[in-house]
Short mmCIF file of all heavy atoms in Angstrom, two decimals:
data_model
loop_
_atom_site.label_atom_id
_atom_site.label_comp_id
_atom_site.label_asym_id
_atom_site.label_seq_id
_atom_site.Cartn_x
_atom_site.Cartn_y
_atom_site.Cartn_z
N MET B 1 -46.70 -20.83 -35.28
CA MET B 1 -46.15 -19.51 -35.53
C MET B 1 -45.23 -19.65 -36.72
O MET B 1 -44.36 -20.49 -36.80
CB MET B 1 -45.35 -19.09 -34.29
CG MET B 1 -44.54 -17.82 -34.51
SD MET B 1 -43.49 -17.54 -33.06
CE MET B 1 -43.85 -15.87 -32.78
N SER B 2 -45.43 -18.79 -37.71
CA SER B 2 -44.58 -18.79 -38.89
C SER B 2 -43.77 -17.54 -38.94
O SER B 2 -44.13 -16.49 -38.46
CB SER B 2 -45.43 -18.91 -40.17
OG SER B 2 -46.24 -17.75 -40.26
N ILE B 3 -42.56 -17.67 -39.50
CA ILE B 3 -41.66 -16.55 -39.64
C ILE B 3 -41.47 -16.30 -41.08
O ILE B 3 -41.15 -17.18 -41.82
CB ILE B 3 -40.32 -16.83 -38.94
CG1 ILE B 3 -40.55 -17.11 -37.47
CG2 ILE B 3 -39.32 -15.71 -39.11
CD1 ILE B 3 -39.33 -17.56 -36.70
N ARG B 4 -41.66 -15.04 -41.47
CA ARG B 4 -41.49 -14.65 -42.85
C ARG B 4 -40.40 -13.65 -43.01
O ARG B 4 -40.21 -12.77 -42.13
CB ARG B 4 -42.76 -14.11 -43.42
CG ARG B 4 -43.82 -15.15 -43.69
CD ARG B 4 -44.96 -14.51 -44.38
NE ARG B 4 -45.91 -14.06 -43.37
CZ ARG B 4 -46.95 -13.31 -43.58
NH1 ARG B 4 -47.22 -12.94 -44.81
NH2 ARG B 4 -47.79 -12.98 -42.65
N LYS B 5 -39.69 -13.67 -44.09
CA LYS B 5 -38.72 -12.67 -44.39
C LYS B 5 -39.41 -11.43 -44.90
O LYS B 5 -40.28 -11.55 -45.74
CB LYS B 5 -37.73 -13.22 -45.42
CG LYS B 5 -36.63 -12.27 -45.78
CD LYS B 5 -35.66 -12.89 -46.80
CE LYS B 5 -34.62 -11.89 -47.13
NZ LYS B 5 -33.68 -12.38 -48.13
N LYS B 6 -38.99 -10.29 -44.38
CA LYS B 6 -39.55 -9.05 -44.86
C LYS B 6 -39.20 -8.80 -46.35
O LYS B 6 -38.04 -9.07 -46.72
CB LYS B 6 -39.06 -7.85 -44.05
CG LYS B 6 -39.74 -7.67 -42.77
CD LYS B 6 -39.23 -6.36 -42.15
CE LYS B 6 -39.99 -6.03 -40.90
NZ LYS B 6 -39.53 -4.70 -40.35
N SER B 7 -40.12 -8.33 -47.14
CA SER B 7 -39.75 -8.06 -48.44
C SER B 7 -39.15 -6.63 -48.48
O SER B 7 -39.54 -5.76 -47.78
CB SER B 7 -41.03 -8.10 -49.40
OG SER B 7 -41.93 -7.12 -48.97
N THR B 8 -38.18 -6.50 -49.37
CA THR B 8 -37.51 -5.20 -49.51
C THR B 8 -37.85 -4.59 -50.84
O THR B 8 -37.99 -5.30 -51.81
CB THR B 8 -35.97 -5.35 -49.37
OG1 THR B 8 -35.52 -6.24 -50.43
CG2 THR B 8 -35.56 -5.88 -48.00
N THR B 9 -37.98 -3.27 -50.85
CA THR B 9 -38.32 -2.60 -52.08
C THR B 9 -37.07 -2.28 -52.90
O THR B 9 -37.17 -2.16 -54.09
CB THR B 9 -39.05 -1.29 -51.79
OG1 THR B 9 -38.23 -0.51 -50.94
CG2 THR B 9 -40.39 -1.53 -51.11
N SER B 10 -35.92 -2.28 -52.27
CA SER B 10 -34.69 -2.01 -52.97
C SER B 10 -33.91 -3.29 -53.23
O SER B 10 -33.95 -4.19 -52.39
CB SER B 10 -33.81 -1.09 -52.10
OG SER B 10 -32.54 -0.95 -52.68
N SER B 11 -33.19 -3.35 -54.32
CA SER B 11 -32.47 -4.59 -54.62
C SER B 11 -31.07 -4.55 -54.00
O SER B 11 -30.43 -5.57 -53.82
CB SER B 11 -32.29 -4.74 -56.13
OG SER B 11 -31.64 -3.61 -56.66
N ALA B 12 -30.59 -3.34 -53.58
CA ALA B 12 -29.28 -3.23 -52.92
C ALA B 12 -29.42 -3.60 -51.46
O ALA B 12 -30.38 -3.21 -50.80
CB ALA B 12 -28.77 -1.77 -53.04
N PRO B 13 -28.42 -4.39 -50.96
CA PRO B 13 -28.47 -4.76 -49.58
C PRO B 13 -28.26 -3.55 -48.66
O PRO B 13 -27.45 -2.66 -49.02
CB PRO B 13 -27.37 -5.77 -49.41
CG PRO B 13 -26.46 -5.53 -50.56
CD PRO B 13 -27.35 -4.95 -51.65
N LYS B 14 -28.97 -3.47 -47.54
CA LYS B 14 -28.81 -2.36 -46.65
C LYS B 14 -27.64 -2.63 -45.72
O LYS B 14 -27.40 -3.72 -45.28
CB LYS B 14 -30.09 -2.18 -45.81
CG LYS B 14 -31.24 -1.63 -46.59
CD LYS B 14 -32.39 -1.33 -45.68
CE LYS B 14 -33.51 -0.75 -46.50
NZ LYS B 14 -34.64 -0.35 -45.64
N LYS B 15 -26.91 -1.53 -45.38
CA LYS B 15 -25.84 -1.62 -44.40
C LYS B 15 -26.45 -1.55 -43.02
O LYS B 15 -27.38 -0.81 -42.80
CB LYS B 15 -24.83 -0.52 -44.66
CG LYS B 15 -24.12 -0.60 -45.92
CD LYS B 15 -23.10 0.54 -46.05
CE LYS B 15 -22.33 0.44 -47.36
NZ LYS B 15 -21.44 1.55 -47.56
N PRO B 16 -25.83 -2.25 -42.06
CA PRO B 16 -26.32 -2.12 -40.70
C PRO B 16 -26.07 -0.72 -40.14
O PRO B 16 -25.09 -0.05 -40.54
CB PRO B 16 -25.55 -3.17 -39.92
CG PRO B 16 -24.38 -3.54 -40.75
CD PRO B 16 -24.75 -3.18 -42.16
N ALA B 17 -26.99 -0.26 -39.28
CA ALA B 17 -26.81 1.08 -38.74
C ALA B 17 -25.57 1.07 -37.79
O ALA B 17 -25.34 0.12 -37.09
CB ALA B 17 -28.04 1.45 -37.93
N ARG B 18 -24.80 2.14 -37.85
CA ARG B 18 -23.63 2.28 -36.98
C ARG B 18 -24.05 3.00 -35.73
O ARG B 18 -24.79 3.94 -35.74
CB ARG B 18 -22.53 3.11 -37.65
CG ARG B 18 -21.99 2.44 -38.89
CD ARG B 18 -20.98 3.29 -39.55
NE ARG B 18 -19.65 2.77 -39.26
CZ ARG B 18 -18.54 3.38 -39.50
NH1 ARG B 18 -18.53 4.57 -40.06
NH2 ARG B 18 -17.44 2.80 -39.26
N ALA B 19 -23.50 2.47 -34.66
CA ALA B 19 -23.75 3.16 -33.35
C ALA B 19 -22.98 4.45 -33.30
O ALA B 19 -21.85 4.49 -33.73
CB ALA B 19 -23.34 2.19 -32.21
N LYS B 20 -23.61 5.44 -32.81
CA LYS B 20 -22.94 6.75 -32.65
C LYS B 20 -22.07 6.71 -31.43
O LYS B 20 -22.51 6.31 -30.36
CB LYS B 20 -23.93 7.88 -32.56
CG LYS B 20 -24.63 8.18 -33.83
CD LYS B 20 -25.50 9.38 -33.71
CE LYS B 20 -26.23 9.65 -35.03
NZ LYS B 20 -27.07 10.84 -34.89
N THR B 21 -20.83 7.13 -31.57
CA THR B 21 -19.91 7.22 -30.42
C THR B 21 -20.02 8.64 -29.91
O THR B 21 -19.65 9.58 -30.60
CB THR B 21 -18.50 6.87 -30.85
OG1 THR B 21 -18.48 5.63 -31.46
CG2 THR B 21 -17.56 6.88 -29.61
N GLU B 22 -20.47 8.74 -28.72
CA GLU B 22 -20.62 10.11 -28.09
C GLU B 22 -19.74 10.15 -26.86
O GLU B 22 -19.70 9.26 -26.03
CB GLU B 22 -22.09 10.37 -27.72
CG GLU B 22 -22.99 10.46 -28.94
CD GLU B 22 -24.37 10.84 -28.59
OE1 GLU B 22 -24.61 11.46 -27.51
OE2 GLU B 22 -25.28 10.58 -29.37
N LEU B 23 -19.07 11.29 -26.71
CA LEU B 23 -18.31 11.49 -25.53
C LEU B 23 -19.20 12.01 -24.40
O LEU B 23 -20.15 12.69 -24.69
CB LEU B 23 -17.20 12.55 -25.82
CG LEU B 23 -16.09 12.16 -26.85
CD1 LEU B 23 -15.22 13.35 -27.10
CD2 LEU B 23 -15.28 11.01 -26.29
N PRO B 24 -18.87 11.64 -23.18
CA PRO B 24 -19.66 12.17 -22.07
C PRO B 24 -19.57 13.70 -22.08
O PRO B 24 -18.55 14.28 -22.55
CB PRO B 24 -19.00 11.61 -20.85
CG PRO B 24 -18.07 10.54 -21.30
CD PRO B 24 -17.78 10.77 -22.73
N LYS B 25 -20.59 14.34 -21.51
CA LYS B 25 -20.60 15.81 -21.45
C LYS B 25 -19.35 16.27 -20.70
O LYS B 25 -19.04 15.73 -19.65
CB LYS B 25 -21.83 16.31 -20.78
CG LYS B 25 -23.05 16.19 -21.66
CD LYS B 25 -24.28 16.78 -21.02
CE LYS B 25 -25.50 16.57 -21.87
NZ LYS B 25 -26.70 17.12 -21.30
N GLY B 26 -18.69 17.23 -21.19
CA GLY B 26 -17.53 17.80 -20.54
C GLY B 26 -16.25 17.04 -20.82
O GLY B 26 -15.20 17.46 -20.38
N ALA B 27 -16.27 15.97 -21.58
CA ALA B 27 -15.09 15.21 -21.89
C ALA B 27 -14.27 15.93 -22.93
O ALA B 27 -14.83 16.40 -23.96
CB ALA B 27 -15.44 13.80 -22.37
N PRO B 28 -12.97 16.06 -22.73
CA PRO B 28 -12.16 16.78 -23.73
C PRO B 28 -12.08 15.92 -25.02
O PRO B 28 -11.98 14.70 -24.99
CB PRO B 28 -10.81 16.87 -23.08
CG PRO B 28 -10.81 15.92 -21.94
CD PRO B 28 -12.23 15.67 -21.56
N SER B 29 -12.19 16.59 -26.15
CA SER B 29 -12.18 15.90 -27.44
C SER B 29 -10.85 16.03 -28.16
O SER B 29 -10.65 15.36 -29.19
CB SER B 29 -13.31 16.39 -28.31
OG SER B 29 -13.12 17.77 -28.50
N THR B 30 -9.93 16.81 -27.63
CA THR B 30 -8.68 16.95 -28.30
C THR B 30 -7.53 16.65 -27.25
O THR B 30 -7.74 16.92 -26.07
CB THR B 30 -8.43 18.38 -28.83
OG1 THR B 30 -8.44 19.29 -27.73
CG2 THR B 30 -9.48 18.72 -29.84
N PRO B 31 -6.38 16.16 -27.72
CA PRO B 31 -5.30 15.89 -26.75
C PRO B 31 -4.88 17.12 -25.95
O PRO B 31 -4.44 16.95 -24.87
CB PRO B 31 -4.15 15.39 -27.68
CG PRO B 31 -4.82 14.84 -28.88
CD PRO B 31 -6.10 15.72 -29.06
N ASP B 32 -4.99 18.29 -26.54
CA ASP B 32 -4.54 19.48 -25.82
C ASP B 32 -5.33 19.73 -24.54
O ASP B 32 -4.85 20.23 -23.58
CB ASP B 32 -4.72 20.78 -26.69
CG ASP B 32 -4.31 20.65 -28.12
OD1 ASP B 32 -3.75 19.57 -28.44
OD2 ASP B 32 -4.45 21.56 -28.87
N ALA B 33 -6.62 19.28 -24.57
CA ALA B 33 -7.50 19.50 -23.47
C ALA B 33 -7.48 18.36 -22.44
O ALA B 33 -8.15 18.45 -21.39
CB ALA B 33 -8.95 19.76 -23.97
N MET B 34 -6.77 17.30 -22.77
CA MET B 34 -6.71 16.15 -21.85
C MET B 34 -5.60 16.24 -20.84
O MET B 34 -4.56 16.77 -21.15
CB MET B 34 -6.51 14.83 -22.73
CG MET B 34 -7.60 14.49 -23.61
SD MET B 34 -7.22 13.00 -24.55
CE MET B 34 -8.51 12.97 -25.68
N PRO B 35 -5.81 15.69 -19.65
CA PRO B 35 -4.72 15.66 -18.68
C PRO B 35 -3.54 14.85 -19.25
O PRO B 35 -3.75 13.90 -19.99
CB PRO B 35 -5.33 14.97 -17.47
CG PRO B 35 -6.78 15.03 -17.66
CD PRO B 35 -7.05 15.10 -19.16
N PRO B 36 -2.32 15.16 -18.85
CA PRO B 36 -1.15 14.45 -19.36
C PRO B 36 -1.21 12.95 -19.09
O PRO B 36 -0.72 12.16 -19.93
CB PRO B 36 0.06 15.08 -18.61
CG PRO B 36 -0.43 16.40 -18.08
CD PRO B 36 -1.93 16.28 -17.94
N GLU B 37 -1.82 12.51 -18.02
CA GLU B 37 -1.89 11.08 -17.65
C GLU B 37 -2.76 10.37 -18.68
O GLU B 37 -2.46 9.24 -19.04
CB GLU B 37 -2.45 10.87 -16.27
CG GLU B 37 -1.60 11.43 -15.12
CD GLU B 37 -1.91 12.87 -14.84
OE1 GLU B 37 -2.87 13.48 -15.43
OE2 GLU B 37 -1.20 13.46 -14.01
N VAL B 38 -3.78 11.04 -19.14
CA VAL B 38 -4.69 10.41 -20.13
C VAL B 38 -3.94 10.28 -21.47
O VAL B 38 -4.04 9.20 -22.11
CB VAL B 38 -6.02 11.25 -20.30
CG1 VAL B 38 -6.87 10.69 -21.42
CG2 VAL B 38 -6.79 11.27 -18.99
N VAL B 39 -3.26 11.29 -21.86
CA VAL B 39 -2.55 11.25 -23.13
C VAL B 39 -1.47 10.18 -23.07
O VAL B 39 -1.28 9.39 -24.00
CB VAL B 39 -1.90 12.64 -23.43
CG1 VAL B 39 -1.00 12.52 -24.68
CG2 VAL B 39 -2.97 13.69 -23.62
N GLU B 40 -0.80 10.06 -21.92
CA GLU B 40 0.25 8.99 -21.74
C GLU B 40 -0.38 7.61 -21.86
O GLU B 40 0.20 6.72 -22.50
CB GLU B 40 0.88 9.15 -20.33
CG GLU B 40 1.98 8.11 -20.06
CD GLU B 40 2.57 8.25 -18.67
OE1 GLU B 40 1.79 8.66 -17.76
OE2 GLU B 40 3.73 7.88 -18.49
N PHE B 41 -1.54 7.42 -21.22
CA PHE B 41 -2.22 6.12 -21.31
C PHE B 41 -2.65 5.80 -22.71
O PHE B 41 -2.37 4.69 -23.19
CB PHE B 41 -3.44 6.08 -20.34
CG PHE B 41 -4.22 4.85 -20.41
CD1 PHE B 41 -3.71 3.68 -19.85
CD2 PHE B 41 -5.44 4.83 -21.00
CE1 PHE B 41 -4.44 2.49 -19.88
CE2 PHE B 41 -6.20 3.66 -21.03
CZ PHE B 41 -5.69 2.46 -20.52
N ILE B 42 -3.24 6.74 -23.39
CA ILE B 42 -3.69 6.52 -24.76
C ILE B 42 -2.52 6.19 -25.66
O ILE B 42 -2.55 5.27 -26.52
CB ILE B 42 -4.46 7.76 -25.32
CG1 ILE B 42 -5.80 7.92 -24.56
CG2 ILE B 42 -4.67 7.68 -26.79
CD1 ILE B 42 -6.53 9.22 -24.83
N THR B 43 -1.39 6.92 -25.48
CA THR B 43 -0.18 6.68 -26.30
C THR B 43 0.38 5.27 -26.01
O THR B 43 0.79 4.60 -26.95
CB THR B 43 0.88 7.76 -25.96
OG1 THR B 43 0.26 9.04 -26.21
CG2 THR B 43 2.12 7.58 -26.80
N ALA B 44 0.34 4.89 -24.75
CA ALA B 44 0.87 3.55 -24.39
C ALA B 44 0.06 2.47 -25.03
O ALA B 44 0.56 1.48 -25.57
CB ALA B 44 0.96 3.35 -22.89
N ILE B 45 -1.26 2.61 -25.00
CA ILE B 45 -2.19 1.61 -25.60
C ILE B 45 -1.93 1.59 -27.11
O ILE B 45 -1.81 0.50 -27.73
CB ILE B 45 -3.65 2.01 -25.34
CG1 ILE B 45 -4.00 1.86 -23.85
CG2 ILE B 45 -4.61 1.15 -26.20
CD1 ILE B 45 -4.13 0.41 -23.38
N ASP B 46 -1.81 2.75 -27.71
CA ASP B 46 -1.61 2.81 -29.20
C ASP B 46 -0.28 2.15 -29.58
O ASP B 46 -0.23 1.42 -30.54
CB ASP B 46 -1.63 4.29 -29.65
CG ASP B 46 -1.75 4.38 -31.16
OD1 ASP B 46 -2.55 3.69 -31.75
OD2 ASP B 46 -0.98 5.21 -31.72
N GLU B 47 0.78 2.43 -28.84
CA GLU B 47 2.10 1.86 -29.14
C GLU B 47 1.99 0.31 -28.99
O GLU B 47 2.60 -0.41 -29.79
CB GLU B 47 3.15 2.40 -28.20
CG GLU B 47 3.54 3.82 -28.53
CD GLU B 47 4.52 4.43 -27.55
OE1 GLU B 47 4.94 3.77 -26.57
OE2 GLU B 47 4.80 5.63 -27.72
N TYR B 48 1.33 -0.15 -27.94
CA TYR B 48 1.19 -1.61 -27.74
C TYR B 48 0.44 -2.24 -28.91
O TYR B 48 0.84 -3.28 -29.47
CB TYR B 48 0.44 -1.90 -26.45
CG TYR B 48 0.29 -3.37 -26.18
CD1 TYR B 48 1.27 -4.05 -25.45
CD2 TYR B 48 -0.78 -4.09 -26.67
CE1 TYR B 48 1.13 -5.41 -25.15
CE2 TYR B 48 -0.93 -5.48 -26.39
CZ TYR B 48 0.06 -6.07 -25.65
OH TYR B 48 -0.05 -7.46 -25.42
N LYS B 49 -0.64 -1.60 -29.39
CA LYS B 49 -1.44 -2.15 -30.51
C LYS B 49 -0.57 -2.23 -31.75
O LYS B 49 -0.65 -3.25 -32.47
CB LYS B 49 -2.65 -1.29 -30.75
CG LYS B 49 -3.67 -1.37 -29.61
CD LYS B 49 -4.97 -0.68 -29.82
CE LYS B 49 -4.99 0.50 -30.67
NZ LYS B 49 -6.32 1.18 -30.74
N ARG B 50 0.28 -1.21 -32.00
CA ARG B 50 1.08 -1.24 -33.21
C ARG B 50 2.18 -2.27 -33.12
O ARG B 50 2.41 -2.99 -34.06
CB ARG B 50 1.66 0.14 -33.43
CG ARG B 50 0.62 1.13 -33.89
CD ARG B 50 1.24 2.50 -34.12
NE ARG B 50 0.11 3.41 -34.41
CZ ARG B 50 0.32 4.72 -34.61
NH1 ARG B 50 1.50 5.23 -34.56
NH2 ARG B 50 -0.70 5.45 -34.85
N LYS B 51 2.82 -2.34 -31.95
CA LYS B 51 3.94 -3.29 -31.75
C LYS B 51 3.49 -4.73 -31.85
O LYS B 51 4.16 -5.56 -32.44
CB LYS B 51 4.58 -3.06 -30.40
CG LYS B 51 5.74 -3.96 -30.08
CD LYS B 51 6.34 -3.68 -28.73
CE LYS B 51 7.46 -4.67 -28.37
NZ LYS B 51 7.99 -4.44 -27.03
N HIS B 52 2.30 -5.05 -31.32
CA HIS B 52 1.85 -6.41 -31.27
C HIS B 52 0.77 -6.71 -32.35
O HIS B 52 0.21 -7.78 -32.38
CB HIS B 52 1.25 -6.73 -29.92
CG HIS B 52 2.29 -6.67 -28.81
ND1 HIS B 52 3.16 -7.66 -28.57
CD2 HIS B 52 2.57 -5.65 -27.97
CE1 HIS B 52 3.95 -7.30 -27.58
NE2 HIS B 52 3.62 -6.09 -27.20
N GLN B 53 0.52 -5.71 -33.25
CA GLN B 53 -0.43 -5.86 -34.36
C GLN B 53 -1.74 -6.37 -33.85
O GLN B 53 -2.32 -7.35 -34.38
CB GLN B 53 0.15 -6.78 -35.45
CG GLN B 53 1.43 -6.24 -36.05
CD GLN B 53 2.01 -7.14 -37.09
OE1 GLN B 53 1.57 -8.29 -37.26
NE2 GLN B 53 3.06 -6.64 -37.77
N ARG B 54 -2.28 -5.71 -32.86
CA ARG B 54 -3.56 -6.08 -32.25
C ARG B 54 -4.49 -4.86 -32.24
O ARG B 54 -4.15 -3.87 -31.59
CB ARG B 54 -3.40 -6.58 -30.85
CG ARG B 54 -2.63 -7.87 -30.82
CD ARG B 54 -2.60 -8.54 -29.46
NE ARG B 54 -3.92 -8.59 -28.84
CZ ARG B 54 -4.73 -9.62 -28.85
NH1 ARG B 54 -4.36 -10.72 -29.52
NH2 ARG B 54 -5.92 -9.64 -28.26
N PRO B 55 -5.63 -4.88 -32.93
CA PRO B 55 -6.50 -3.71 -32.97
C PRO B 55 -7.17 -3.50 -31.58
O PRO B 55 -7.49 -2.37 -31.23
CB PRO B 55 -7.50 -4.00 -34.05
CG PRO B 55 -7.47 -5.52 -34.18
CD PRO B 55 -6.10 -5.97 -33.79
N PHE B 56 -7.39 -4.59 -30.84
CA PHE B 56 -8.08 -4.48 -29.56
C PHE B 56 -7.39 -5.29 -28.51
O PHE B 56 -7.58 -6.55 -28.51
CB PHE B 56 -9.54 -4.92 -29.70
CG PHE B 56 -10.30 -4.16 -30.77
CD1 PHE B 56 -10.59 -4.76 -31.97
CD2 PHE B 56 -10.69 -2.87 -30.60
CE1 PHE B 56 -11.22 -4.09 -32.98
CE2 PHE B 56 -11.36 -2.18 -31.55
CZ PHE B 56 -11.65 -2.77 -32.78
N PRO B 57 -6.59 -4.71 -27.63
CA PRO B 57 -5.95 -5.55 -26.58
C PRO B 57 -6.97 -6.05 -25.59
O PRO B 57 -7.96 -5.37 -25.30
CB PRO B 57 -4.97 -4.55 -25.91
CG PRO B 57 -5.43 -3.18 -26.26
CD PRO B 57 -6.19 -3.35 -27.57
N ASN B 58 -6.75 -7.24 -25.07
CA ASN B 58 -7.69 -7.77 -24.06
C ASN B 58 -7.38 -7.16 -22.72
O ASN B 58 -6.37 -6.43 -22.57
CB ASN B 58 -7.66 -9.28 -24.04
CG ASN B 58 -6.34 -9.85 -23.63
OD1 ASN B 58 -5.67 -9.35 -22.78
ND2 ASN B 58 -5.97 -11.00 -24.25
N TRP B 59 -8.17 -7.47 -21.70
CA TRP B 59 -8.00 -6.81 -20.37
C TRP B 59 -6.66 -7.15 -19.73
O TRP B 59 -6.06 -6.37 -19.05
CB TRP B 59 -9.18 -7.17 -19.46
CG TRP B 59 -10.35 -6.41 -19.87
CD1 TRP B 59 -11.53 -6.93 -20.37
CD2 TRP B 59 -10.58 -4.95 -19.94
NE1 TRP B 59 -12.44 -5.88 -20.66
CE2 TRP B 59 -11.85 -4.71 -20.43
CE3 TRP B 59 -9.78 -3.87 -19.54
CZ2 TRP B 59 -12.38 -3.41 -20.53
CZ3 TRP B 59 -10.26 -2.59 -19.68
CH2 TRP B 59 -11.57 -2.36 -20.15
N SER B 60 -6.19 -8.38 -19.95
CA SER B 60 -4.90 -8.76 -19.37
C SER B 60 -3.81 -7.93 -20.00
O SER B 60 -2.84 -7.54 -19.31
CB SER B 60 -4.62 -10.25 -19.67
OG SER B 60 -5.55 -11.06 -18.99
N GLU B 61 -3.89 -7.66 -21.31
CA GLU B 61 -2.87 -6.83 -21.94
C GLU B 61 -2.96 -5.39 -21.48
O GLU B 61 -1.96 -4.74 -21.28
CB GLU B 61 -3.08 -6.96 -23.48
CG GLU B 61 -2.79 -8.32 -24.00
CD GLU B 61 -3.22 -8.56 -25.41
OE1 GLU B 61 -4.27 -7.94 -25.82
OE2 GLU B 61 -2.58 -9.34 -26.13
N VAL B 62 -4.20 -4.90 -21.25
CA VAL B 62 -4.37 -3.55 -20.73
C VAL B 62 -3.71 -3.42 -19.36
O VAL B 62 -3.01 -2.46 -19.04
CB VAL B 62 -5.82 -3.09 -20.67
CG1 VAL B 62 -6.02 -1.80 -19.97
CG2 VAL B 62 -6.41 -3.05 -22.06
N LEU B 63 -3.90 -4.46 -18.51
CA LEU B 63 -3.28 -4.49 -17.19
C LEU B 63 -1.77 -4.45 -17.37
O LEU B 63 -1.03 -3.72 -16.58
CB LEU B 63 -3.75 -5.67 -16.43
CG LEU B 63 -3.16 -5.85 -15.03
CD1 LEU B 63 -3.48 -4.61 -14.14
CD2 LEU B 63 -3.62 -7.12 -14.35
N GLU B 64 -1.21 -5.21 -18.28
CA GLU B 64 0.21 -5.24 -18.53
C GLU B 64 0.71 -3.82 -18.93
O GLU B 64 1.73 -3.32 -18.43
CB GLU B 64 0.53 -6.20 -19.65
CG GLU B 64 1.96 -6.31 -20.03
CD GLU B 64 2.20 -7.27 -21.22
OE1 GLU B 64 1.44 -8.23 -21.34
OE2 GLU B 64 3.05 -6.98 -22.04
N ILE B 65 -0.02 -3.13 -19.75
CA ILE B 65 0.31 -1.77 -20.21
C ILE B 65 0.31 -0.83 -19.01
O ILE B 65 1.21 -0.01 -18.86
CB ILE B 65 -0.67 -1.31 -21.33
CG1 ILE B 65 -0.48 -2.19 -22.58
CG2 ILE B 65 -0.41 0.17 -21.61
CD1 ILE B 65 -1.59 -2.05 -23.57
N VAL B 66 -0.71 -0.90 -18.16
CA VAL B 66 -0.86 -0.07 -17.04
C VAL B 66 0.38 -0.26 -16.07
O VAL B 66 0.93 0.68 -15.58
CB VAL B 66 -2.18 -0.27 -16.28
CG1 VAL B 66 -2.20 0.38 -14.95
CG2 VAL B 66 -3.35 0.22 -17.19
N LYS B 67 0.74 -1.53 -15.91
CA LYS B 67 1.93 -1.83 -15.03
C LYS B 67 3.18 -1.27 -15.62
O LYS B 67 4.03 -0.80 -14.89
CB LYS B 67 2.03 -3.34 -14.81
CG LYS B 67 0.96 -3.88 -13.88
CD LYS B 67 1.15 -5.38 -13.68
CE LYS B 67 0.15 -5.98 -12.74
NZ LYS B 67 0.30 -7.42 -12.57
N THR B 68 3.37 -1.29 -16.97
CA THR B 68 4.53 -0.77 -17.56
C THR B 68 4.63 0.74 -17.40
O THR B 68 5.72 1.33 -17.44
CB THR B 68 4.68 -1.12 -19.08
OG1 THR B 68 3.61 -0.54 -19.76
CG2 THR B 68 4.73 -2.60 -19.29
N LEU B 69 3.49 1.41 -17.17
CA LEU B 69 3.47 2.84 -16.96
C LEU B 69 3.82 3.16 -15.49
O LEU B 69 3.96 4.32 -15.14
CB LEU B 69 2.07 3.38 -17.25
CG LEU B 69 1.69 3.45 -18.72
CD1 LEU B 69 0.25 3.87 -18.90
CD2 LEU B 69 2.63 4.34 -19.53
N GLY B 70 3.97 2.08 -14.67
CA GLY B 70 4.37 2.31 -13.31
C GLY B 70 3.30 2.25 -12.25
O GLY B 70 3.53 2.44 -11.07
N TYR B 71 2.10 1.88 -12.67
CA TYR B 71 0.97 1.80 -11.73
C TYR B 71 1.04 0.44 -11.07
O TYR B 71 1.37 -0.58 -11.67
CB TYR B 71 -0.36 1.97 -12.43
CG TYR B 71 -0.57 3.40 -12.91
CD1 TYR B 71 -0.21 3.73 -14.19
CD2 TYR B 71 -1.14 4.33 -12.11
CE1 TYR B 71 -0.39 5.05 -14.63
CE2 TYR B 71 -1.35 5.64 -12.56
CZ TYR B 71 -0.96 6.01 -13.82
OH TYR B 71 -1.15 7.22 -14.22
N GLU B 72 0.71 0.39 -9.76
CA GLU B 72 0.59 -0.86 -8.99
C GLU B 72 -0.50 -0.77 -8.00
O GLU B 72 -0.94 0.33 -7.66
CB GLU B 72 1.89 -1.24 -8.38
CG GLU B 72 2.57 -0.15 -7.58
CD GLU B 72 3.98 -0.51 -7.09
OE1 GLU B 72 4.78 -1.00 -7.91
OE2 GLU B 72 4.21 -0.32 -5.91
N ARG B 73 -0.95 -1.95 -7.54
CA ARG B 73 -2.08 -1.99 -6.62
C ARG B 73 -1.64 -1.36 -5.26
O ARG B 73 -0.59 -1.64 -4.79
CB ARG B 73 -2.48 -3.43 -6.40
CG ARG B 73 -3.65 -3.57 -5.45
CD ARG B 73 -3.98 -4.98 -5.25
NE ARG B 73 -4.61 -5.48 -6.48
CZ ARG B 73 -5.33 -6.58 -6.58
NH1 ARG B 73 -5.50 -7.33 -5.55
NH2 ARG B 73 -5.84 -6.94 -7.69
N ALA B 74 -2.57 -0.49 -4.73
CA ALA B 74 -2.28 0.10 -3.46
C ALA B 74 -2.52 -0.92 -2.31
O ALA B 74 -3.40 -1.72 -2.45
CB ALA B 74 -3.13 1.30 -3.22
N SER B 75 -1.68 -0.94 -1.35
CA SER B 75 -1.82 -1.93 -0.24
C SER B 75 -2.93 -1.53 0.69
O SER B 75 -3.26 -0.46 0.96
CB SER B 75 -0.53 -2.03 0.52
OG SER B 75 0.51 -2.40 -0.30
#
């Protein structure tokens, strides 16, 4: 089995296709339409990212943020 590189007709390199980000049907697209808890969570995540200069917090950090908002495991 041989593998060949496809020949391209253009000399410019192609950019990879971007995945489209689609909101679920009925999902609010503006902060005005979101419940206050959602806006509070998004704001807390954004503040954490700016304070710690991290574009993507890991799950442990997200849990830390949720706890700082006052959420805890139900018994």
